[in-house]
Amino acid sequence: MTLLIIRHAESVENADKYLGFYQDPRPYNGAAAHHISRSLVGLTPRGFRQAQWLAETLPDLVHHEPRVYTSTYRRAIDTAAIALPKLPDGWPQQTPLLDEQHYGDATYMTKRELYDTYPDLAEDRRQRKHIWTAPGGGESLATGVTRRAADFTALARTTLRTPCVVIAFTHHTAAVALRALLEDLPLPEILAEERKGKLPNAAILQYALHGDRITRTATTTPPPL
């Protein structure tokens, strides 16, 4: 049984992070920023090509009927639609379990603006990013995101009891949480690894289920496009 964790293809937010979205001061409030991130941010032309690469690559990895899940964010939904255009009715299924970390009122704040607005949170944000809880209804990686990742892992395990491939189109922070759970590694260790080389857009993390044990079997990344 196979589980594929896929980071969405390149979005306009990834490409223009410090030119368009992270203005200082931020021109919109936290709720508006989160709505923009969740509902409006789509793929770049490069992201579209990455999703097409996924469409060419996934057939070699999917040897059973796929069960496909996406986050509720547009960039993950669009990646799945391009990568797997001929799924049966009812698939893919959207689930907030795969959503990006919710940064609450801090969504799209620059670090300067964040630290000036929420000085009590600055030290955790600088030194212990995994336990930093975003203000204004946001969540931390160690609690909220990891809790959702655990619920998705349980869903995947249940689904994989029948011959199939589970495919999850998600986001970088959610992929970090999923890795920690699936590979039984502490979050700081994975974050240290990510600082050396961040998981690329459209990368595929491949896992195999043997009984109750899930093992990582490969990582496939897109070529320069």
Side-chain angles (χ1 to χ4, degrees):
M1 310 303 178
T2 301
L3 170 63
L4 304 179
I5 306 295
I6 301 175
R7 186 184 177 197
H8 65 80
E10 184 185 80
S11 71
V12 293
E13 181 180 314
N14 298 138
D16 293 332
K17 182 173 182 179
Y18 296 108
L19 299 177
F21 291 92
Y22 287 81
Q23 300 177 43
D24 193 349
R26 187 183 59 178
Y28 25 67
N29 63 26
H34 184 66
H35 172 71
I36 292 167
S37 178
R38 181 182 64 246
S39 302
L40 302 181
V41 171
L43 303 181
T44 63
R46 182 169 182 258
F48 184 85
R49 293 193 295 273
Q50 288 175 338
Q52 289 180 313
W53 170 82
L54 285 169
E56 297 168 355
T57 302
L58 287 174
D60 291 334
L61 305 178
V62 178
H63 304 298
H64 296 285
E65 184 176 4
R67 294 288 183 262
V68 183
Y69 300 88
T70 77
S71 80
T72 65
Y73 283 59
R74 177 185 167 188
R75 50 194 180 271
I77 296 167
D78 289 353
T79 301
I82 298 167
L84 295 167
K86 297 181 180 180
L87 293 174
D89 290 343
W91 299 96
Q93 294 184 9
Q94 297 177 27
T95 172
L97 299 179
L98 293 172
D99 281 357
E100 178 60 286
Q101 181 176 355
H102 187 356
Y103 291 100
D105 286 346
T107 304
Y108 290 151
M109 275 189 175
T110 64
K111 289 183 180 179
R112 185 210 63 79
E113 190 175 14
L114 173 66
Y115 297 158
D116 287 351
T117 306
Y118 302 102
D120 293 344
L121 302 178
E123 187 63 19
D124 277 345
R125 177 61 180 80
R126 290 190 185 102
Q127 305 296 336
R128 297 175 290 274
K129 189 176 179 181
H130 61 292
I131 66 169
W132 174 75
T133 300
E139 60 185 352
S140 76
L141 171 56
T143 55
V145 181
T146 296
R147 187 180 303 115
R148 292 192 282 104
D151 289 343
F152 181 79
T153 300
L155 171 64
R157 283 183 178 275
T158 299
T159 305
L160 288 169
R161 288 173 183 169
T162 59
C164 70
V165 175
V166 172
I167 305 176
F169 289 87
T170 188
H171 305 259
H172 177 258
T173 309
V176 166
L178 286 163
R179 276 197 61 196
L181 292 167
L182 295 170
E183 300 174 29
D184 195 24
L185 294 172
L187 282 170
E189 181 177 327
I190 296 178
L191 290 171
E193 180 183 322
E194 288 288 320
R195 283 192 290 271
K196 297 177 182 178
K198 191 172 183 178
L199 182 72
N201 290 105
I204 308 169
L205 302 176
Q206 301 173 48
Y207 295 89
L209 177 64
H210 302 284
D212 290 331
R213 184 177 180 182
I214 293 179
T215 56
R216 184 169 165 187
T217 57
T219 302
T220 304
T221 57
L225 296 169

